[in-house]
Amino acid sequence: MAKELEIKIARLRNLMDEKGLDGIYIKGQDNFAWLTCGGRNYVGMGSVGNCGLLVTKNGLFAITNNIEAPRMRDEEKLETLGFKILYGVWHDSSFEKKTISELVPSGKVGYDTSDLAKNIQLLRFSLTAEEIERYQEIGKDASIAMEEAAINISAGMSEYEIAGDIMSRMEAKGLEILSCMVAADERISLYRHPLPTSKKVEKRVQIGGNFRRNGLVICLTRYVWFYEPTEEEKKQYHDNQVIDCTYMAASKPGNTFVSALEKGRSKYTELGYEGEFDKHHQGGPIGYQGRDYRVGFDTPGVIAENQAFCWNPSITGTKSEDTVISTKDGIIPVTRPVLFPENEIVVDDQTFIRPGILVRK
């Protein structure tokens, strides 16, 4: 953790030099988790936490109130990380601003919740070795929780019951619920974002969502069918995964986001699914947010070394979705089939192991 923190502090101080600043103040949940190597500064799931981190050229400070200070010290270990904890009484609304002014008298401070939002987002993209290891552990636990829940599904269960089981299993492994999607039967084709309802499963179900631990977000989707899919259904599911793997293969450090998007769109057309591309966004970079942004044809910049992605191409009735990390040596899976059957997909001489449909009879 010491090395990881050192890298992140150096990135922030380089940004300070570039922008002519004497301090950077971090308070967003995503950025707080990133800087503290997995910490939590919130009570609810809002975008701004209850403890801010001030990085100056010579110091590290945590600014909070008397309610949060004990947990920041005892559980988030901010003092161990090197942050001096400063706190005021909860009803002193001026304490935060006054403390920042005293610590940075020049007033040259940038904020992650306003002027530096995009700059700091870019600093998060290239994951450290420690983050990659942590992400893989989180992904494995999430995959197991999701697939155990899938194995437990039986015809007649409601989408609410299935969602409750998924969330319970995720929370048992320390994963927070950012979203949980469940669609039974015709709802799979009707809605790209199927929030669970009281509908009961008859023949098939799609489950998925976004889940977070140590600040890192994973996303995955799985299918359970209660009959043997037809050859046409198998082909569509396979083709959907080929499109997904086309995105992954194109997600090479140094490539533009747009070039990857164009290759995916071309694969839709090549496989005979023209028009499906327009029906849902295709996903994009992931990490400390559910998606840092959804890649579009106006998305600037290039893919970073060790950047995480979750592409989510869909064809009406199917979707392919798992979290991966793009490295110079290829794709590292974060979520992947653990208890599910496996499909092997080859794209551009790269082999990807993707989840099959779990058929229950």
Side-chain angles (χ1 to χ4, degrees):
M1 186 178 292
K3 180 63 175 177
E4 178 183 346
L5 179 63
E6 181 182 328
I7 290 170
K8 293 172 178 178
I9 294 297
R11 290 179 187 177
L12 286 169
R13 286 178 172 154
N14 285 338
L15 179 60
M16 287 164 55
D17 290 340
E18 291 172 14
K19 299 291 185 180
L21 299 172
D22 294 323
I24 290 178
Y25 194 56
I26 300 290
K27 201 173 182 182
Q29 289 186 21
D30 48 2
N31 295 319
F32 182 95
W34 168 72
L35 184 54
T36 58
C37 311
R40 298 180 294 178
N41 68 336
Y42 55 87
V43 176
M45 291 291 188
S47 61
V48 178
N50 299 300
C51 177
L53 302 174
L54 179 65
V55 178
T56 68
K57 293 183 178 180
N58 300 303
L60 302 174
F61 306 92
I63 302 172
T64 187
N65 57 46
N66 61 315
I67 303 171
E68 303 302 322
R71 198 182 70 78
M72 292 299 114
R73 180 191 63 240
D74 300 339
E75 295 185 344
E76 302 305 339
K77 308 294 184 184
L78 293 189
E79 289 179 336
T80 301
L81 290 174
F83 290 89
K84 182 178 180 180
I85 299 175
L86 306 171
Y87 62 92
V89 68
W90 64 268
H91 55 76
D92 183 359
S93 59
S94 67
F95 180 78
E96 180 181 48
K97 184 176 180 180
K98 179 178 65 176
T99 303
I100 293 172
S101 297
E102 291 173 353
L103 293 170
V104 188
S106 69
K108 296 179 179 180
V109 180
Y111 295 83
D112 73 323
T113 55
S114 55
D115 56 320
L116 295 183
K118 289 296 183 184
N119 301 92
I120 294 174
Q121 184 184 59
L122 289 173
L123 298 186
R124 299 198 316 253
F125 283 175
S126 184
L127 300 172
T128 66
E130 292 87 348
E131 284 173 304
I132 291 173
E133 182 179 354
R134 195 155 62 242
Y135 220 161
Q136 289 178 284
E137 292 173 355
I138 295 167
K140 183 177 181 181
D141 282 349
S143 299
I144 291 171
M146 181 66 76
E147 293 180 0
E148 285 179 339
I151 291 169
N152 193 51
I153 296 171
S154 59
M157 287 180 70
S158 73
E159 293 172 349
Y160 282 142
E161 289 177 295
I162 294 167
D165 191 31
I166 292 168
M167 292 188 283
S168 176
R169 292 174 189 273
M170 290 290 179
E171 290 178 337
K173 292 182 180 293
L175 285 139
E176 299 166 329
I177 316 303
L178 300 188
S179 69
C180 186
M181 306 289 179
V182 182
D185 302 297
E186 70 275 5
R187 291 190 75 240
I188 299 173
S189 296
L190 288 173
Y191 310 113
R192 268 5 191 224
H193 294 146
L195 297 178
T197 70
S198 59
K199 178 175 174 53
K200 294 183 178 181
V201 177
E202 295 177 18
K203 294 183 177 181
R204 57 182 179 149
V205 63
Q206 170 189 300
I207 58 176
N210 289 268
F211 309 92
R212 179 173 68 182
R213 191 171 79 199
N214 300 126
L216 290 164
V217 181
I218 63 88
C219 186
L220 74 169
T221 292
R222 298 289 185 267
Y223 287 89
V224 180
W225 291 29
F226 292 94
Y227 67 93
E228 186 64 35
T230 66
E231 291 305 312
E232 182 180 351
E233 289 169 333
K234 290 178 182 177
K235 181 181 184 300
Q236 177 174 317
Y237 185 76
H238 176 272
D239 288 348
N240 204 153
Q241 291 189 328
V242 169
I243 296 169
D244 194 6
C245 294
T246 297
Y247 280 122
M248 293 181 193
S251 301
K252 297 177 181 177
N255 284 0
T256 65
F257 299 106
V258 172
S259 68
L261 191 65
E262 287 173 340
K263 287 190 175 181
R265 180 170 66 171
S266 296
K267 187 60 68 172
Y268 272 97
T269 301
E270 178 187 326
L271 294 174
Y273 301 100
E274 191 168 3
E276 290 289 338
F277 176 87
D278 293 334
K279 294 180 180 179
H280 189 236
H281 73 82
Q282 303 298 297
I286 194 171
Y288 288 89
Q289 292 182 346
R291 296 294 188 279
D292 287 298
Y293 44 80
R294 297 166 178 175
V295 175
F297 291 106
D298 58 350
T299 300
V302 299
I303 296 167
E305 172 69 14
N306 299 335
Q307 184 166 12
F309 281 88
C310 185
W311 297 103
N312 48 248
S314 61
I315 302 168
T316 302
T318 57
K319 179 167 69 169
S320 181
E321 186 173 42
D322 268 296
T323 307
V324 300
I325 299 170
S326 170
T327 78
K328 61 182 177 59
D329 298 318
I331 291 295
I332 296 175
V334 174
T335 58
R336 63 276 198 194
V338 179
L339 307 175
F340 259 46
E342 297 180 352
N343 290 340
E344 185 176 290
I345 308 288
V346 179
V347 174
D348 294 343
D349 297 324
Q350 297 183 57
T351 300
F352 301 89
I353 304 301
R354 309 294 293 119
I357 295 170
L358 179 64
V359 178
R360 302 279 306 282
K361 295 182 180 179

